[in-house]
């Protein structure tokens, strides 16, 4: 292969836990030399393309691949009957065909795949496959889908179109309150919009298996599903992590993995598949659109008495992670507040809309928009400030969540709110106006007339790691040896680096625990045990925990070999007092020490199906935002002026990376607040492009002052708390609240569009 | 068709180019230069930004044939040898790189800005980078990187 993806990274710049060393892949990335999955190349390789259903719901009466096969340059055209193993996959339960058989359930569902010697040839040939569709009425509304007379989309599902119903029953079922506020809120379908498109290269191997180089979040989950679809034992389906251009949940499910392998095995040649941007919108799951009906009751003094909620999450055509998303929305649905009585019904539903699954925030985002909107309503009804009503009810360590779970580490919600509230306000725009600082910008839509400022707050709670009794673990192999006269630690895990900086962190942990300078980070692949997914803000915790545990075992073995000492530092074996006892190079000699450790966080529990009780989450994480906006109330244009955030991260393992996560997560929340939505009409996506699906540019993003708190969680490695997701929760409701404050509009829907402001 | 382009100072030729191929495709798939990225291939993201005769362009919007006989400079050609250009250095130093898929395009755009106007204000930097999407960083550290590189450039000139 001329562009191999399996290079080790050597981290030499120093940096222990708590420092912010430069990324070991940074130089490669800025030089354009880092090999992303779409950059792969192999001599003699073919290109794959996918034919997708134009209909959201149809029966396939016939397929004719003849015209496609006749195109010169085409090597293979495959359909469902060519799937060698089981034609079903899925992260939680397998319900999704690799290639559609007799029915398609969403627009964009893969029907046939082609391999050809040029990508354009492959695409044109795919378009020549003849598919005889009998178009069926799509089920496009989640609540309609739950009615008894709705067509059942998955006849084998015992619950009709219901994927999961989670009930939370906490406290008194019929509580009385002095003040009651209610509302119905909706959240649109958001796309992860990572920049690196779905892509990879499958290389057939001599043993009849395949090597797949791919951008993914979880190599072993892919391996399990691909092997099953190919009808091969897992050890003959070897996955290697190619460079990942962002993930945000969109790479947790399979996209082109099985297709590329099928084409490679059929043609005997390496096959590369790269989705274009339009195809990418059909190639991965999205954030669940949701309808959320809430009622909050409080005493006249502002103490919450109860929360009642009904939430309906549209899971689209296939289950993906809908069940877990439903669990999150339900268990976190009352927010970071002490509420004695909670009654939640949360439904995840099948429809013929695009499949929905993981996206940063994972169910907690939708709930947060609704409960935070409710808290503002409650504040207004009580005549209290929005911050005061939140602070008054904020959870703290020792509080009981609606699941009955006691919050058993820091929960500085009140402090986070106070931090963002007490920041100085940015100055209001004043004459002479710089157009770039007004809503509408250089479109020259206002010179200050009709521009009104608003301020809003949001705070949220997110679980870290996999919940509800999932066996959540990671594996790390650490080796310490002498290379070139210097002690070198190598760290091997299967954890996906998706941009978050886990490569940097693994080296920091190895340096901290083993007292070496030079650390080699081996490329993630399936030759080492599973690391679980790079999702749920969990890798620093779980893979970080595994790397630390493996380092501890290596250190213990080295100290045993040295026959003395309490630790390793600066390349030496040292006593508890720090005295140098031996040189690490001499102790190691020619014999490396290597340990592989599978590490688990403390177990969680399944929810009781009738009450939703249980120790479901290993850790809670909190962030708060204050948004300041200027709104042109005549045109409905919004400029977010400042987005302040405060977050508790337990321990800032890499302070620069922590800021980067908070800034990036806040930006995605801003997108959901004011611009990002996949428009689905009758099951058909209307805006699958960056021309029509807008994500924030540098002109849309305000400055983001940040406060980071570090209250160690005694249960977590180094006391750390997962960082990536909480900022995505609270920035959306804070911004929408600020727009409400500026406009006086009710604004019950995210994203807010200009017509909601002026309509 | 055959296309001959001066790429990063070297004369390069690609044969059997299909007339519909973009400059981006030829760079990435025929000339072994995948540095410029392919995040949208419709002119919306800037990840494919390269210099064409000293002007930054979206390589995905330039037909390969339009580049015939012209000179192209990609992210791979910004620094000499194994080193880093100051703009590249600034991106690494400030933590402006997460997944890095936007980075090559942003670096070319920032390189052009820093050379044209090292005294650019924040508002001007934002305008100059408005065509480059980044999904990971929220742009704060990218702004830090450009400020750092610009300050260095301004210092050189002073
Ligand atoms: S790939 Fe050229 S602008 Fe997006
Ligand atoms: S760093 Fe990932 S898109 Fe910018």
């Amino acid at each position: 292969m001329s562009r191999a993806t399996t290079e080790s990274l050597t981290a030499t710049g120093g940096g222990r836990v708590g420092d912010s060393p430069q990324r070991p892949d940074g130089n490669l990335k800025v030089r354009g030399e880092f090999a992303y999955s779409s950059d792969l190349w192999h001599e003699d390789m073919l290109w794959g393309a996918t034919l997708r259903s134009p209909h959201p719901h149809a029966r396939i009466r016939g397929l004719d691949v003849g015209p496609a096969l006749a195109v010169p340059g085409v090597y293979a055209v495959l359909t469902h009957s060519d799937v060698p193993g089981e034609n079903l996959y899925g992260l939680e339960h397998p319900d999704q065909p690799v290639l559609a058989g007799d029915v398609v359930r969403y627009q964009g569902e893969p029907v046939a795949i082609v391999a050809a010697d040029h990508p354009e040839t492959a695409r044109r040939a795919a378009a020549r496959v003849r598919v005889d569709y009998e178009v069926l009425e799509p089920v496009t509304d989640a609540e309609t889908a739950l009615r008894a007379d709705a067509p059942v989309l998955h006849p084998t599902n015992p619950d009709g179109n219901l994927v999961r119903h989670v009930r939370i029953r906490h406290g008194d079922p019929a509580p009385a309150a002095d003040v009651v506020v209610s509302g119905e809120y909706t959240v649109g379908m958001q796309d992860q919009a990572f920049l690196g498109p779905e892509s990879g290269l499958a290389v057939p191997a001599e043993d009849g298996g395949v090597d797949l180089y791919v951008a993914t979040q979880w190599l072993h989950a892919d391996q399990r599903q691909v092997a099953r679809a190919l009808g091969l034992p897992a050890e003959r389906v070897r996955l290697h992590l190619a460079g990942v251009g962002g993930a945000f949940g969109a790479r947790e499910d399979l996209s082109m993995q099985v297709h590329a392998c099928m084409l490679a095995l059929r043609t005997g040649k390496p096959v590369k598949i790269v989705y274009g941007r339009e195809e990418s919108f059909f190639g991965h799951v999205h954030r669940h659109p949701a309808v959320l009906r809430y009622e909050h009751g409080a005493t006249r003094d502002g103490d919450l008495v109860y929360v009642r909620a009904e939430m309906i999450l549209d899971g689209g055509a296939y289950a993906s992670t809908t069940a877990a998303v439903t669990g999150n929305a339900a268990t976190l649905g009352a927010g970071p507040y002490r509420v004695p009585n909670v009654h939640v019904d949360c439904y995840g539903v099948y429809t013929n809309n695009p499949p929905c699954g993981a996206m940063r925030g994972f169910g907690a985002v939708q709930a947060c928009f609704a409960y935070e909107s409710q808290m503002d309503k409650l504040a207004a009804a009580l005549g209290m400030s929005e911050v005061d009503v939140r602070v008054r009810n904020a959870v703290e360590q020792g509080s009981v969540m609606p699941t009955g779970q006691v919050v058993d580490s820091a929960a500085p919600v009140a402090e986070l709110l106070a931090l963002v509230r007490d920041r100085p306000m940015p100055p209001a725009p004043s004459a002479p106006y710089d157009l770039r600082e007004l809503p509408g910008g250089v479109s020259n839509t206002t010179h200050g007339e009709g521009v009104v400022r608003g301020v809003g707050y949001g705070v949220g709670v997110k679980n870290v790691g996999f919940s509800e009794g999932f066996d959540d673990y990671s594996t790390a192999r650490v080796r310490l040896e002498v290379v070139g006269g210097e002690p070198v630690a190598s760290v091997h895990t299967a954890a996906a680096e998706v941009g978050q900086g886990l490569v940097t962190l693994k080296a920091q942990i190895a340096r901290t625990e083993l007292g070496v300078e030079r650390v080699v980070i081996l490329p993630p692949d399936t030759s080492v045990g599973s690391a679980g997914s790079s999702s749920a803000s969990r890798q620093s915790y779980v893979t970080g925990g595994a790397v630390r545990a493996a380092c501890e075992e290596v250190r213990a073995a080295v100290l045993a070999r040295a026959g003395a000492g309490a630790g390793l530092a600066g390349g030496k074996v040292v006593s508890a007092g720090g005295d140098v006892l031996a040189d690490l190079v001499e102790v190691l000699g020619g014999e490396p020490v290597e340990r592989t450790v599978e590490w688990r966080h403390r177990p969680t529990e399944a929810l009781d199906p009738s009450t939703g009780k249980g120790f479901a989450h290993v850790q809670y994480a909190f962030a708060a935002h204050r948004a300041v906006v200027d709104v042109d109330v005549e045109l409905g244009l919004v400029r977010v002026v400042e987005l302040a955030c405060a977050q508790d991260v337990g321990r800032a393992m890499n302070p620069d990376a922590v800021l980067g996560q908070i800034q990036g997560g806040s930006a995605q929340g801003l997108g959901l607040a004011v611009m990002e939505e996949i428009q689905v009409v009758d099951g058909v996506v209307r805006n699958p492009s960056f021309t029509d699906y807008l994500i924030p540019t540098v002109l849309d993003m305000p400055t983001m002052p940040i406060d980071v708190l570090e209250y160690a969680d005694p249960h977590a490695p180094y006391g750390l708390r997962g960082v990536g997701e909480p900022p995505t929760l609270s920035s959306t409701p804070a911004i929408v609240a600020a727009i409400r404050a500026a406009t006086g509009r009710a604004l019950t829907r995210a994203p807010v569009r200009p017509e909601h402001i002026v309509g | 068709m055959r296309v001959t382009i001066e790429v990063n100072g070297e004369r390069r030729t690609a044969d059997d180019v299909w007339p519909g191929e973009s400059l981006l495709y030829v760079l990435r798939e025929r000339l072994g230069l995948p540095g410029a990225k392919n995040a949208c291939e419709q002119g919306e993201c800037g990840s494919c930004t390269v210099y064409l005769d000293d002007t930054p362009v979206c390589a995905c919007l330039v037909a390969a044939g339009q580049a015939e006989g012209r000179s192209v400079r990609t992210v791979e050609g910004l620094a000499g040898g194994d080193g880093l250009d100051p703009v590249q250095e600034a991106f690494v130093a400030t933590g402006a790189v997460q997944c890095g898929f936007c980075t090559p395009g942003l670096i070319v755009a920032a390189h052009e800005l820093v050379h044209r106007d090292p005294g650019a204000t924040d508002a001007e930097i934002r305008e100059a980078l408005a065509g480059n999407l980044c999904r990971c960083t929220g742009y704060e550290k990218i702004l830090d990187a450009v400020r750092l590189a610009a300050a260095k450039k301004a210092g050189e000139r002073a």
Side-chain angles (χ1 to χ4, degrees), chain A residues 195, chain B residues 97-102 134-137:
Chain A
L195 287 203
Chain B
V97 180
Q98 288 188 32
C99 86
F101 209 80
C102 65
C134 172
R135 189 53 157 171
C136 298
T137 65

Side-chain angles (χ1 to χ4, degrees), chain A residues 3 22-23 26-27 29-32 36 38-39 41 45 47 118-120 124 190-193 195-197 244-246 248 272 274 277 359 436 498-499 656 659-661 663-664 667-668 676 689-691 695-699 701-704, chain B residues 18 21 25 28-30 32-35 37-42 44-45 47 75-76 79-84 88 91-94 97-104 107 121 123-124 126-127 129-130 133-141 143:
Chain A
R3 267 181 236 146
Q22 295 186 356
R23 304 177 63 99
N27 284 12
K29 285 181 172 178
V30 297
R31 289 172 56 88
Y36 294 90
S38 53
D39 299 341
W41 183 88
M45 78 180 186
W47 290 80
H118 190 285
E120 190 58 27
R124 289 181 180 196
Q190 189 179 20
D191 188 61
Q192 299 85 349
L195 287 203
V244 183
F248 319 116
K272 169 170 167 172
V274 181
R277 180 52 51 184
M359 181 175 175
R436 292 172 297 201
V498 296
D656 266 3
L659 293 179
Q661 286 298 306
Q663 291 157 348
Q668 292 182 2
E676 292 186 33
S689 73
F690 279 166
T691 312
I695 65 173
T697 71
V698 69
L699 291 176
M701 286 311 301
T703 53
M704 292 183 274
Chain B
W18 172 67
E21 284 176 19
Y25 183 88
R28 290 175 51 80
E29 303 297 340
R30 297 193 181 274
L33 290 167
K37 290 287 168 276
N38 55 326
C40 77
E41 297 181 84
Q42 51 188 190
E44 294 290 351
C45 75
S47 73
V75 70
E76 289 102 330
D82 286 342
L84 297 182
Q88 293 170 321
F91 269 68
V92 181
T94 54
V97 180
Q98 288 188 32
C99 86
F101 209 80
C102 65
T103 304
I107 282 180
T121 62
E124 288 162 346
R126 286 183 189 267
E127 263 189 289
L129 302 183
L133 298 176
C134 172
R135 189 53 157 171
C136 298
T137 65
Y139 304 101
E140 288 278 81
K141 288 178 185 293
L143 291 168

Side-chain angles (χ1 to χ4, degrees), chain B residues 8-90:
Chain B
N8 298 330
E10 246 182 81
R11 202 180 125 99
R12 301 287 304 272
T13 299
D15 282 316
D16 301 324
V17 174
W18 172 67
E21 284 176 19
S22 64
L23 171 61
L24 181 65
Y25 183 88
V26 168
L27 290 169
R28 290 175 51 80
E29 303 297 340
R30 297 193 181 274
L31 299 178
L33 290 167
K37 290 287 168 276
N38 55 326
C40 77
E41 297 181 84
Q42 51 188 190
E44 294 290 351
C45 75
S47 73
C48 61
T49 307
V50 300
Y51 282 109
L52 178 62
D53 291 342
D54 303 324
T55 306
V57 297
C58 291
C60 70
L61 293 183
V62 177
Q66 285 177 285
E68 170 67 33
R70 300 172 72 178
S71 86
V72 170
R73 199 170 168 204
T74 72
V75 70
E76 289 102 330
L78 289 187
D82 286 342
L84 297 182
D85 179 88
V87 176
Q88 293 170 321
E89 239 163 50

Side-chain angles (χ1 to χ4, degrees), chain A residues 516-646:
Chain A
V516 298
E517 182 57 24
R518 203 177 169 84
V519 182
V520 174
I521 303 296
L522 293 161
D525 57 29
T526 49
S527 72
V528 63
S530 175
S533 180
S534 290
S535 64
S537 308
R538 65 180 281 289
Q539 286 294 23
S540 297
Y541 193 130
V542 189
T543 291
V547 172
R548 183 174 75 168
C551 287
E552 283 167 353
E553 288 200 8
V554 166
R555 188 175 60 208
V558 170
L559 295 180
R561 197 187 282 179
L568 302 174
K572 314 283 182 201
V573 176
V574 296
S575 70
D579 297 331
V580 173
L581 305 176
D583 199 285
L584 186 52
V585 168
E586 277 160 31
V587 175
L588 285 169
E591 278 184 68
V593 178
E594 181 179 295
R595 292 290 183 277
T596 304
V597 172
E598 207 170 80
W599 188 85
R600 293 172 157 72
H601 59 66
R602 55 190 174 141
T604 59
E605 294 170 1
L607 297 174
D608 180 290
S610 54
T611 63
K613 293 286 178 192
F615 183 90
H617 301 308
V618 67
Q619 187 182 59
Y620 293 105
F622 308 91
H625 279 91
R626 182 190 72 189
V628 180
V629 304
D630 285 337
V631 182
D632 180 335
V633 296
E634 290 158 17
L635 294 177
L637 302 177
V638 176
R639 177 169 182 267
V640 182
V641 175
E642 188 197 83
L643 188 55
C645 182

Side-chain angles (χ1 to χ4, degrees), chain A residues 323-345:
Chain A
V325 169
T326 307
N328 264 15
T331 56
L332 304 171
Y337 301 111
R338 287 174 284 109
V339 195
N341 310 295
V342 176
H343 183 112
V344 173
D345 286 290

